[in-house]
Amino acid sequence: MHYEVYSKDMLSSTTRAFGSPLRYVQGQGEFGRLPLYTAPYGNACVIIDGFLYQDLNARLEKAYAESDAKFVSISFNGECCEEEVERIGKIARENGAAVIVGAGGGKTMDTAKICADEMGLPVIIAPSSASTDAPVSEIAVVYKPDGEYIGSRKMKKNADLVLVDTEIIVKAPRRLFVAGMGDALATWLEAQACECSDSPNYIGSGMRRCKAGMAIAKASWDILFEDGEKALMALDSGVVTEAFENVVEANTLLSGLGFLNTGLATAHGIHSGLTVLPETHKYLHGEKVAFGIVCQMVLENTPAETVDKVMRFMVAIGLPVTLADLGVAAEHDKVLAIAEKTANGPLIHQEPFAVTTERVYGAIIAADALGRKYKGL
Ligand SMILES: [Zn+2]
C-alpha cells in the first residue's frame, strides 16, 4: 500500500459482494474428459474455434464414443455477432442441447456465453490459451458481422464450469501466454487503487470488494514473480510443470476473480486509450495492459523498489514497456489522443486522486522513458 486511504464517496452502501464461476477445473487432458462434465446436463452443443476445429473435434469424437453422453459440434465462424448467435442457437435447439460449451479464443467463448444466456442453458468455457482472464467473467464483447465493435454485454450469471486443459494451453503461441501475464500482473495494482478510492467492483451493478477479492488479486501477483519465468521456460520446452500450472491459474482464475471482485483502474484505462490509435489494434489485450501498468506506476508514483521489480520482470518475459513496443511513435498528437481517450473513460478515475488529461499525458511520456531505460535504449 503506497497511498493514503481516502474515499471518493463513490458508494452509498457498505454491502460487500463476491462473484465467480460455479466451478473451475484445470489439468492436463481435461478437455478429453468433457463427456464427464456435460453428461449430467444432457446433450452438449460444443462451439469450437475455426482454427482448432479439426483437432478438438477429433478429440471429442473419441471421448464421446467411449461414453454414453452425446454432443454436436459447430465450427465458429469468427465473429461474436447476433447472426452467429442465431445460427448456433438454431443448431443447438435442433439437437436438443441442454448445455453449451465454448472452446477456443475470446470470441468463441463470448459467443457461447451469449447463446447459453439467451437459451437459459448452463455454459462450460474451455479456453485454448491463457491470454486473458475473460473465461472467468460473465461479460461478452459484441461486434457487427464485419468486426465493428458494438459494446459489452453482461450475462445473468458466470459460467457453470471453466475447464482449462493445460495440454492445450502449453501448445498455444508463446505470445498469448506472455500477454496473459501482462493482464494478470495489472490485477493487484488495480485492486489496490480501487480499494484506496473505495471504488465499486463488477459484481451486480457494482458493490464493495470482499477481503477474498483482495487476497486472490495478491495471490496472482505473487505467483507471477515466483513462477512467471519458470513457466515461460516450460512453455518454450513444450512441457507442463507445476510452475506452468500455477501461472495458468494466475492468468485465468486468479486474475479473473481478482478484477471482477476488486475493480480496474489505470492499467486497463490506458489499454482503452491506446485503442484510439489503429496501429495498436494488432497488439493483444494483455500487451496494451502491460504498458498501462508502467503508466499506472508513474501516475501513482509507486515506490522505486516495486517499480524496479515490475519493470525487470516485464522486460525479462518480453512484455511491451514502451510506446514503440506497441507500434506507436512517441509524437505529441498521438500521446495526447491516448491521454484524452483515457481521461474521458471511467477506469482511470478509479484512482484515489484527481486525474487530468495533462497528468495522463505526462504519465505516458514518463512511462515510455522508463521503459526505454529498462530496455537499455
Ligand atoms: Zn484485462
Side-chain angles (χ1 to χ4, degrees):
M1 207 61 55
H2 48 268
Y3 25 62
E4 297 284 304
V5 176
Y6 89 89
S7 172
K8 281 207 278 193
D9 212 9
M10 293 177 82
L11 295 165
S12 53
S13 163
T14 53
T15 303
R16 53 180 77 186
F18 182 88
S20 78
L22 195 56
R23 281 175 298 163
Y24 178 89
V25 173
Q26 176 190 310
Q28 277 181 278
E30 279 301 328
F31 190 70
R33 286 189 270 279
L34 191 63
L36 279 178
Y37 300 113
T38 63
Y41 299 110
N43 293 354
C45 172
V46 188
I47 310 162
I48 305 176
D49 214 312
F51 298 106
L52 305 165
Y53 186 78
Q54 272 198 319
D55 174 29
L56 296 189
N57 190 54
R59 291 188 200 211
L60 292 183
E61 298 273 8
K62 187 170 173 288
Y64 277 89
E66 293 162 0
S67 119
D68 295 333
K70 289 195 170 51
F71 85 105
V72 59
S73 66
I74 304 172
S75 176
F76 179 58
N77 82 354
E79 199 50 81
C80 179
C81 59
E82 210 177 299
E83 289 76 0
E84 181 66 349
V85 168
E86 244 169 65
R87 180 180 79 94
I88 291 166
K90 192 163 170 282
I91 299 170
R93 269 186 293 272
E94 284 167 2
N95 288 277
V99 55
I100 305 287
V101 183
K107 290 188 179 193
T108 311
M109 296 188 280
D110 282 2
T111 305
K113 289 179 194 173
I114 298 173
C115 285
D117 195 65
E118 291 196 347
M119 298 177 78
L121 293 178
V123 65
I124 296 175
I125 299 292
S128 56
S129 76
S131 61
T132 72
D133 49 28
V136 165
S137 89
E138 77 283 36
I139 300 159
V141 183
V142 189
Y143 299 84
K144 287 183 183 168
D146 63 2
E148 192 188 324
Y149 172 83
I150 296 179
S152 60
R153 189 172 143 179
K154 205 167 168 160
M155 308 302 121
K156 291 186 281 291
K157 61 178 187 59
N158 300 61
D160 295 78
L161 170 64
V162 175
L163 185 66
V164 182
D165 186 337
T166 37
E167 215 163 85
I168 294 174
I169 307 283
V170 81
K171 291 188 185 114
R174 177 185 217 268
R175 185 177 164 197
L176 295 178
F177 188 66
V178 172
M181 286 199 264
D183 199 22
L185 188 62
T187 311
W188 174 236
L189 292 171
E190 294 183 294
Q192 289 174 95
C194 289
E195 183 178 50
C196 290
S197 58
D198 206 10
S199 296
N201 63 18
Y202 293 96
I203 308 306
S205 51
M207 297 189 199
R208 292 187 88 201
R209 76 219 66 75
C210 282
K211 289 286 185 192
M214 294 303 287
I216 289 168
K218 178 66 163 55
S220 150
W221 170 269
D222 291 340
I223 287 171
L224 289 174
F225 288 107
E226 179 64 33
D227 291 328
E229 289 187 65
K230 286 185 267 173
L232 201 51
M233 268 193 276
L235 180 131
D236 286 338
S237 311
V239 294
V240 175
T241 61
E242 194 66 4
F244 182 77
E245 294 272 8
N246 286 347
V247 175
V248 170
E249 188 187 327
N251 286 10
T252 314
L253 181 66
L254 304 175
S255 174
L257 293 181
F259 103 82
L260 282 176
N261 288 290
T262 66
L264 298 172
T266 296
H268 276 77
I270 291 283
H271 162 275
S272 305
L274 282 162
T275 61
V276 78
L277 301 180
E279 53 266 46
T280 68
H281 292 181
K282 61 176 184 285
Y283 293 90
L284 301 166
H285 173 81
E287 293 174 335
K288 284 176 267 199
V289 169
F291 181 67
I293 292 172
V294 188
C295 296
Q296 182 166 334
M297 293 192 300
V298 172
L299 197 68
E300 293 177 351
N301 198 23
T302 301
E305 197 187 328
T306 305
V307 172
D308 188 58
K309 178 175 158 177
V310 172
M311 295 304 292
R312 283 175 192 277
F313 177 71
M314 291 211 287
V315 171
I317 63 169
L319 278 169
V321 290
T322 66
L323 287 168
D325 285 344
L326 295 170
V328 176
E331 292 161 6
H332 171 80
D333 290 359
K334 288 187 187 275
V335 176
L336 187 61
I338 301 167
E340 275 171 350
K341 174 135 171 117
T342 306
N344 287 335
L347 299 181
I348 203 164
H349 301 290
Q350 311 266 53
E351 294 291 338
F353 43 76
V355 175
T356 61
T357 303
E358 290 69 30
R359 274 294 161 96
V360 183
Y361 179 91
I364 297 169
I365 296 287
D368 184 54
L370 187 66
R372 279 186 280 118
K373 184 191 133 191
Y374 273 90
K375 289 190 81 177
L377 300 174

